[in-house]
Each structure stands twice: as structure tokens, then as C-alpha cells.
Amino acid sequence: MFISIERNRLESIQEQIFEQARRQILAGSLRPGVKVSSTRALAAQLKVSRNSVTFAYERLINEGYLVTKPTAGTFVAPLFPEDAVRATGVAEIYSPDRSARSGSPDEPPAFTGRRHSILSTSRNPIDFWTQRTDPAAFPLRSWRRVILESLASAGRNLTEYGDPCGYMFLRTTIAEHVLDNRGIQARPEQIIILAGAQLALNLALRVLVRGREPIAVENPCNQGAAYLFESLGMTVLPYPIDSFGVDAESLVKSDARLVYVTPSHQFPMGPTLSLHRRKLILEWAQRTGAYILEDDYDSEFRYDDAPLPALKALAPNRVIYLGTFSKSLGAGLRIGFAIFPESLVESAGTAKALLDNGHVWLEQAALARFISGGGFARHVRRIRQSWKSRRDTLLERLSLRFGRLELMGTEAGTHIAIKVPERWNAHDIKQIARKSNVGVYTVQCGGGHEYGAMTFNAEWLLLGYASLSERQIEIGVDRLAHAMELRQGNGPAFRGY
Ligand SMILES: Cc1ncc(COP(=O)(O)O)c(C=O)c1O
């Protein structure tokens, strides 16, 4: 990698490193798989601070140009965001070419993929990370009790295999829970318990996908889903989102027979899919025989009005519903579920058995007790109230410090998206905030993935609020505003400090 730094340029040193490396990667002079210099070595070579190189590398990693391999170093990624090809004007197609395999014994493994972000990259105490909730809100006492009760009545459950599709007590409990809360009617046999929605998505794709199957997705999209589709060699058709969710009017003209959506709180931008668009997508699926992968994460947290019905409730035979307890209980528990249409139950059950012989029994038994005893509903009511107060504090403080800001995703979930003030770039704000010990995230760094022009990535920031106290939220916003004021001088975008 050849980088030349000009100190009198307007761009910062880290921007120059980022841009030059990106260009060399796209031009092919830095080839996929090539190991790049360590941050220390490059900083020494360029006589710049190590931080500048580290920030540039982090951005290259977050935007998909570089990948890190633990203990081995940093390498040029096998696939880049710009591999997206402009298609119909509405959507763009992404489909990696896998036909070039030589079959030689030295060729790399058949699997190629990129890691999605689920871990925060910031060690700051005030970290608006999108993918965590407050550990103090975990119902520890109740959880201890249901674990102990389950252990006391475990019988043979700890010493022999159970049904790979899940513990029947939990499947029955979840069937009642989704009926009461999401209007979904499902037999327990349609429900498969797994270690989270990401695994549920993997299972559904295992059942449904052949070859380069086209899939319609939201743009920007959940990174874990986007990179999974990419790793399977699927053809991705991204459709833009706005404040009513994905552009369903265009999506229904798609040739895809599979769509992945996050209707309750679009990830990463946060809008709720409108009822009108829900109906359009459902009619399209009924008409064409398409399947909808409904990732209903965050559905428990709707603050200002009643939740809209799940797509699965409206068209049970066309929707594979993906549920998770990562937001309502904790991401570290690793438990979620999928609800399959009757027509797919048999194949999904077989695919699940081949996948893993079953999910941890103790955790399933404890969760079933917690839900059926009413503890889960009480817990969700409590944290919904608590997240709502934190959201209100965040919105008030942002308004106090920044005046009017364009926001998305405020009505539900555990994070919001804010449009950065004019003349600012989201990535720069992220770096400035980091120097003031505050973690805020671009779309690409915060667990989203944007296809094509990356405008959301440049113009929006994601702020998760469910892991911070209200006081921390206020301090975090104040510090952010202050740091931006210092950088800009007292520009019009900010109000005093
Ligand atoms: C869009 C989306 N779906 C699902 C999940 C939950 O995934 P899992 O259940 O695998 O933890 C997340 C993470 O919070 C998410 O952002």
C-alpha cells in the first residue's frame, strides 16, 4: 500500500489514508486477500500519529474494504461495497461471482464472507451503541428463580437429547405469547427455538434458497442479514427506505420471490412499515407465491401508539417470522425463534436437526417458566417504560443542544437515527465524539449495511439509548454538541453550552 500524506491539504490525515487506500483497493492495485501494514508500521512510515491510521483502518473495516483476522492481521476484503451494480434505477443488484473457482488444492475455502458488527468498537463510558441494553434492567432475581426451579425438575432433560426443534413447553408458551402480543396464530409445532434471530434467518434460508436466489431487501439493511445473503451468493435487490419503511410500491414489481424486512422498527434507520405498505407486500407475496422473512426484533417497544399487526398475523402462509429475546431480555442469553408456515414445517424441522441437535434445555425451560408465570410480560412493561423515559430524555437533550434535527425511528425500539447538520459528515462526528469519550455510530459502524451511494452512511448517525442512564444520555449529548462547537466555531447548527 502506497500512501502519501500532504499536511497542508484540507482533508484530515485519516481521510487521506482512507481515501487513498480505498482507491487502491478498488483499482485492484491492492488485491483481495493481501495483508496490509499494521497501524503501528504505517504510522511510523508516514510519520503520523497511530490514531490517524487506526481511525482510517477502522473506517476501511467498517465500510467493508478491509477485514481483520484475529492474531493474523488486517487484509484486503474479498468483496467490496462498490461491487453493487446499478440495475433498474430503483434497486441495485449485488451478486458475487463464484464461478471462477479453480478447484486447485490451494484455493481458499468455499466460504467467503465478512463479519458484521455486533460488538461496540468504543470503550467510552458513554457509548450510544445500538446493540445492547442496560444490564441493571435484566431481571436477575426472577431469572435465578426460574433457573433453579427448572433445575429442580430437570429429570432426564439434562442427560438426553430433546426435540431439536425445541422444548415443547417453551414452544407452547411462545405460541400463546405471540397470539396475545402480535396476533399470530401458530401451532407450537410451527415454532422452532434457536440461539437468536440471526440463526433463525440462517435456518430459513437453508430451507428456501437455491443458488443465486434473488432476495429483496431494505436499503440500508441489517448488516448481519446483508452479509449472510452475500456469503450465500444470493442476488440482493435493495429497495430504499423512507419514513414509512421500505419502498413497497417498487418492491412489488420485483422478480424476487423472497423478501427480508424489519417492519416494527426498520434496522438500522428505524421507521415502522406503514399499514398500506404492509398490505402491498402481503398482496404481492400472495399473488406471486413469494415468502416474506419478517424480522420482528424490537416489536415489544412501541412508545406512543399501539403496535401494527405482524405481517405473519395477516398472511400466515407466506411469512416466516423471526423472533428474538435479545432486546427484551438480553443479547447474551442467545435465544430466539422462528415460526414457519405449515407448508415448510417438515423441511424446517429436518434442517434444524441437521444444524445442531437442539437448543440448550435449561435456558428454554427457564424462559418457558418466566413467560408462562407472567414475569416476562411484567418485565417488558417495566423496561418499556424505562426505555421510553430514556428516549424522551435523548430527544429533549438533542433538541436543547441542536435545535431542530431530522430524526428517524423515534417511535419504537432502542435506538434512533439523526441526520447530521449541514456541512457535517457523520464519520467525522463519530471521530470527534470519540475524542470526547462518547460513542456514536454511522450506519455502517452501527450494524447497518448500505448498498450503493452510501448517503445514509455519510449523513446519519445511530444512537442507541437503552444501555445508558438518563444522566449519561444528557452528558453524552452535551459533550457531543460541545465537541462539534469547538471544531466548527460557534456555527449556527448548535445552541450554547
Ligand atoms: C435487525 C435485527 N434483527 C435481529 C436482531 C437480534 O438478533 P439475535 O436474536 O441473533 O441476537 C438484531 C440485533 O439486535 C437486529 O438488529
Side-chain angles (χ1 to χ4, degrees):
M1 176 159 58
F2 176 75
I3 306 283
S4 102
I5 298 296
E6 290 176 36
R7 288 176 198 274
N8 52 0
R9 291 252 309 259
L10 216 57
E11 294 104 313
S12 64
I13 289 174
Q14 72 198 51
E15 276 164 4
Q16 293 184 45
I17 299 172
F18 169 81
E19 206 37 59
Q20 289 180 42
R22 190 177 85 99
R23 269 200 235 117
Q24 288 171 38
I25 290 170
L26 290 175
S29 52
L30 272 176
R31 292 171 59 77
V34 163
K35 186 171 181 181
V36 297
S37 314
S38 69
T39 52
R40 188 191 302 274
L42 189 59
Q45 183 195 325
L46 299 177
K47 299 193 175 44
V48 299
S49 84
R50 189 157 171 213
N51 264 353
S52 301
V53 182
T54 305
F55 288 146
Y57 272 34
E58 272 178 19
R59 186 166 172 200
L60 288 160
I61 291 165
N62 284 323
E63 296 191 9
Y65 298 104
L66 296 180
V67 289
T68 47
K69 297 186 187 160
T71 71
T74 306
F75 298 82
V76 178
L79 306 158
F80 315 125
E82 278 77 358
D83 289 345
V85 178
R86 199 156 276 284
T88 57
V90 181
E92 290 159 5
I93 297 181
Y94 180 77
S95 178
D97 182 5
R98 317 185 132 229
S99 57
R101 290 216 186 105
S102 68
S104 89
D106 299 333
E107 72 179 332
F111 174 82
T112 56
R114 313 186 237 180
R115 278 274 185 104
H116 59 292
S117 330
I118 49 170
L119 305 177
S120 168
T121 49
S122 158
R123 289 203 197 98
N124 289 320
I126 300 191
D127 187 10
F128 289 93
W129 178 237
T130 49
Q131 316 264 6
R132 64 157 87 93
T133 52
D134 186 352
F138 185 83
L140 209 52
R141 280 220 333 254
S142 309
W143 194 251
R144 187 180 297 124
R145 180 177 48 76
V146 288
I147 287 276
L148 291 176
E149 285 170 8
S150 304
L151 275 177
S153 59
R156 297 165 152 219
N157 286 306
L158 291 170
T159 47
E160 67 184 12
Y161 289 114
D163 183 338
C165 293
Y167 183 40
M168 195 40 96
F169 179 20
L170 179 59
R171 295 160 83 190
T172 311
T173 311
I174 289 179
E176 287 162 12
H177 172 72
V178 293
L179 179 61
D180 291 347
N181 292 281
R182 306 298 292 126
I184 297 170
Q185 273 192 310
R187 292 185 308 119
E189 289 75 8
Q190 291 174 255
I191 298 175
I192 296 185
I193 312 296
L194 323 90
Q198 180 74 17
L199 186 56
L201 182 59
N202 271 272
L203 177 68
L205 296 177
R206 179 98 203 257
V207 173
L208 292 169
V209 171
R210 282 190 205 94
R212 293 182 165 202
E213 187 85 34
I215 183 160
V217 302
E218 302 157 325
N219 192 22
C221 177
N222 169 20
Q223 200 176 83
Y227 290 4
L228 173 60
F229 305 143
E230 180 183 290
S231 75
L232 293 172
M234 297 174 74
T235 302
V236 176
L237 306 169
Y239 289 87
I241 61 110
D242 59 24
S243 48
F244 300 100
V246 69
D247 174 6
E249 287 79 1
S250 302
L251 192 153
V252 296
K253 297 181 197 134
S254 165
D255 290 337
R257 291 295 164 263
L258 206 51
V259 56
Y260 169 79
V261 280
T262 49
S264 288
H265 189 232
Q266 198 274 333
F267 197 90
M269 300 310 297
T272 302
L273 186 61
S274 70
L275 193 56
H276 170 67
R277 289 188 177 177
R278 279 171 203 243
K279 286 187 180 151
L280 282 180
I281 294 175
L282 289 168
E283 280 160 17
W284 163 79
Q286 297 284 19
R287 191 174 67 248
T288 60
Y291 282 110
I292 301 165
L293 294 157
E294 177 179 25
D295 181 343
D296 206 28
Y297 94 106
D298 264 356
S299 58
E300 299 86 355
F301 307 116
R302 186 157 190 89
Y303 303 118
D304 306 317
D305 48 22
L308 292 174
L311 297 172
K312 179 75 178 164
L314 302 172
N317 56 343
R318 301 274 31 112
V319 179
I320 295 108
Y321 181 91
L322 311 172
T324 180
F325 292 94
S326 286
K327 292 296 171 104
S328 53
L329 271 174
L333 275 186
R334 307 307 313 132
I335 192 155
F337 59 96
I339 311 180
F340 284 89
E342 289 289 0
S343 57
L344 298 177
V345 165
E346 191 61 37
S347 340
T350 306
K352 174 62 168 61
L354 290 171
L355 189 66
D356 71 357
N357 289 346
H359 191 69
V360 186
W361 174 82
L362 182 57
E363 189 178 88
Q364 296 186 72
L367 182 56
R369 277 177 185 270
F370 192 44
I371 299 175
S372 64
F376 180 68
R378 281 193 296 280
H379 164 72
V380 168
R381 274 199 298 278
R382 201 167 41 240
I383 57 171
R384 189 187 296 127
Q385 200 47 46
S386 174
W387 298 172
K388 180 178 187 303
S389 304
R390 295 173 204 221
R391 178 208 62 167
D392 292 345
T393 301
L394 176 59
L395 297 184
E396 276 161 30
R397 206 64 172 189
L398 284 170
S399 154
L400 183 73
R401 291 292 174 213
F402 292 90
R404 275 170 67 86
L405 275 177
E406 203 178 320
L407 304 168
M408 274 178 119
T410 55
E411 67 271 27
T414 57
H415 75 275
I416 62 165
I418 62 176
K419 190 161 188 189
V420 301
E422 256 178 55
R423 299 190 305 279
W424 282 92
N425 173 295
H427 189 77
D428 290 342
I429 299 183
K430 176 184 163 238
Q431 304 296 18
I432 292 169
R434 180 173 281 210
K435 286 187 187 145
S436 297
N437 293 321
V438 177
V440 295
Y441 295 90
T442 58
V443 163
Q444 206 68 34
C445 298
H449 179 68
E450 187 173 5
Y451 297 91
M454 299 278 227
T455 46
F456 280 101
N457 197 49
E459 293 174 4
W460 290 78
L461 282 168
L462 307 178
L463 274 74
Y465 49 84
S467 68
L468 297 175
S469 70
E470 291 179 42
R471 188 68 200 122
Q472 285 177 314
I473 290 171
E474 287 172 349
I475 296 171
V477 173
D478 288 353
R479 280 195 199 160
L480 179 66
H482 187 52
M484 289 170 69
E485 278 168 5
L486 283 181
R487 168 64 73 94
Q488 167 164 302
N490 285 325
F494 317 111
R495 297 221 172 128
Y497 176 71

